[in-house]
Amino acid sequence: MVNSTEASYFILTAYSDTGVLKYLYFLIILALYICIIGANTSLIVVICVNRSLHEPMYLFLCSLFVNELYGSSGLFPFLLVQILSDIHTVSAPLCFLQIYFLYSYVLVEYLNLAAMSYDRYLAICYPLQYNTYMTSKKVTVLITLTWSMPCIAIVILISLTVSLTLCGNILDTVYCGNFPIVKLACSDTRVNNIYGLFFTVIYIIIPLLLILYTYMRILRVCFSGSRQTRQKALSTCTPHLASLINFSFGVLFEILQSRFDMIGVPNMLRVLLSLYFITCQPLFTPVLYGLKMSKIRIICKRLLYGEV
């Protein structure tokens, strides 16, 4: 029996002996991390230094790019160390810190996308009243809530998990997850399960429903409006929907993998899919918005080609 005080570290068994290929994997992950840092940091700087982009839509985008840096930094340095290591262990404090980073990243992403959908809903459905409804004060409040609420929720989640008595310390994953640790518990986990359900409904289901509702209303306006209105709506909403679908796919697989037996899925595919939401989304987001948002694209071209 290993209780919560004795489990000072966890063993990650999803890693396999890849021999010299580990150096190739290390370089691939490092290159991906450098691209993520470069792309997101560049767009954050572009938005911050250009006054023409100091609008609600771009401020929400800036918050989204910051979150991509935040989430990827909670995983990539850890992966780089683990890939080169022969013993795949992680101390309990570091494991729970990683859970905090990754889980708060997911919640901030969903709440940020929900705030962006609300902003687009007001801009397209109530264009004349938009500046009255979406004030700078409201933008500040929405961004503050987007970041503060998940942080509080994750602290409570981790506190409940830390208090459990564990029967083991082996995790069949490449990084730490809350539910895999809860499955190791010998003690009663009903409170954890109830809070987990509450947590999922409040921070994932409700934001998704809000996004679906706002886009249903946006589509109604688009189909009843002029061609110019439809084109404007599509140009601003398409990146948002693509980002939401891409991220939700990765998160859905990770939820299914943590809850159900995935022994029928090849180990390499399982590892790649479990990393999808935290590796592809941070790179996908800046590339997508950088190409699709005309204002950002024009300013980036000016900077690249030295135009005034």
Side-chain angles (χ1 to χ4, degrees):
M1 296 286 287
V2 181
N3 63 35
S4 56
T5 58
E6 292 171 345
S8 59
Y9 65 92
F10 293 97
I11 301 170
L12 306 175
T13 61
Y15 290 92
S16 57
D17 184 12
T18 56
V20 294
L21 282 176
K22 67 182 180 181
Y23 299 108
L24 175 61
Y25 296 149
F26 177 87
L27 291 175
I28 292 172
I29 295 295
L30 180 61
L32 185 58
Y33 188 37
I34 291 171
C35 288
I36 288 170
I37 292 174
N40 284 282
T41 302
S42 299
L43 290 180
I44 290 169
V45 171
V46 165
I47 292 172
C48 289
V49 301
N50 286 275
R51 283 192 163 278
S52 63
L53 298 180
H54 291 183
E55 300 173 7
M57 177 172 62
Y58 298 104
L59 294 177
F60 288 128
L61 266 180
C62 188
S63 173
L64 196 67
F65 298 144
V66 171
N67 191 46
E68 306 304 353
L69 288 176
Y70 170 80
S72 57
S73 297
L75 178 68
F76 278 88
F78 176 82
L79 278 181
L80 292 171
V81 171
Q82 289 295 325
I83 287 171
L84 293 181
S85 177
D86 294 324
I87 303 173
H88 305 293
T89 61
V90 54
S91 66
L94 182 59
C95 191
F96 287 114
L97 181 63
Q98 186 176 62
I99 291 171
Y100 176 83
F101 271 99
L102 296 183
Y103 281 52
S104 56
Y105 160 72
V106 171
L107 300 193
V108 170
E109 191 84 358
Y110 273 117
L111 291 180
N112 213 128
L113 290 172
M116 289 170 67
S117 70
Y118 175 64
D119 173 70
R120 291 301 83 208
Y121 164 70
L122 292 178
I124 294 169
C125 298
Y126 301 97
L128 299 179
Q129 296 87 10
Y130 175 74
N131 290 328
T132 303
Y133 291 151
M134 190 55 73
T135 61
S136 58
K137 183 178 179 180
K138 181 176 280 189
V139 172
T140 303
V141 169
L142 286 173
I143 292 176
T144 302
L145 290 175
T146 294
W147 283 88
S148 60
M149 288 173 62
C151 293
I152 296 169
I154 300 303
V155 167
I156 297 172
L157 182 76
I158 292 174
S159 299
L160 292 172
T161 304
V162 168
S163 65
L164 293 173
T165 301
L166 305 181
C167 293
N169 63 345
I170 297 176
L171 304 175
D172 187 24
T173 57
V174 291
Y175 56 84
C176 293
N178 184 71
F179 194 72
I181 294 177
V182 171
K183 289 195 291 188
L184 297 174
C186 305
S187 53
D188 188 5
T189 60
R190 279 179 295 181
V191 175
N192 301 74
N193 293 332
I194 292 170
Y195 182 75
L197 180 62
F198 169 80
F199 173 90
T200 304
V201 170
I202 296 296
Y203 293 99
I204 296 179
I205 303 300
I206 290 179
L208 279 173
L209 291 175
L210 175 63
I211 292 169
L212 290 175
Y213 171 76
T214 55
Y215 274 93
M216 284 174 61
R217 295 292 302 271
I218 289 170
L219 285 173
R220 281 185 61 187
V221 171
C222 288
F223 284 122
S224 61
S226 63
R227 183 178 178 182
Q228 185 179 1
T229 302
R230 286 196 295 271
Q231 288 178 339
K232 181 183 176 182
L234 286 173
S235 66
T236 57
C237 296
T238 301
H240 182 267
L241 284 175
S243 180
L244 176 66
I245 292 168
N246 180 69
F247 186 66
S248 296
F249 169 77
V251 171
L252 178 62
F253 179 82
E254 185 54 24
I255 291 173
L256 292 175
Q257 179 180 241
S258 65
R259 295 297 194 276
F260 302 103
D261 185 7
M262 305 292 286
I263 195 170
V265 181
N267 185 62
M268 182 57 74
L269 179 61
R270 186 160 57 87
V271 168
L272 290 174
L273 288 175
S274 69
L275 293 171
Y276 184 85
F277 79 98
I278 194 64
T279 55
C280 290
Q281 184 73 2
L283 188 59
F284 181 77
T285 297
V287 171
L288 183 67
Y289 285 103
L291 292 175
K292 285 292 184 180
M293 305 297 283
S294 58
K295 272 192 176 183
I296 293 178
R297 187 173 66 248
I298 291 168
I299 290 172
C300 287
K301 282 183 177 179
R302 287 176 180 173
L303 291 173
L304 285 172
Y305 298 110
E307 298 176 9
V308 180

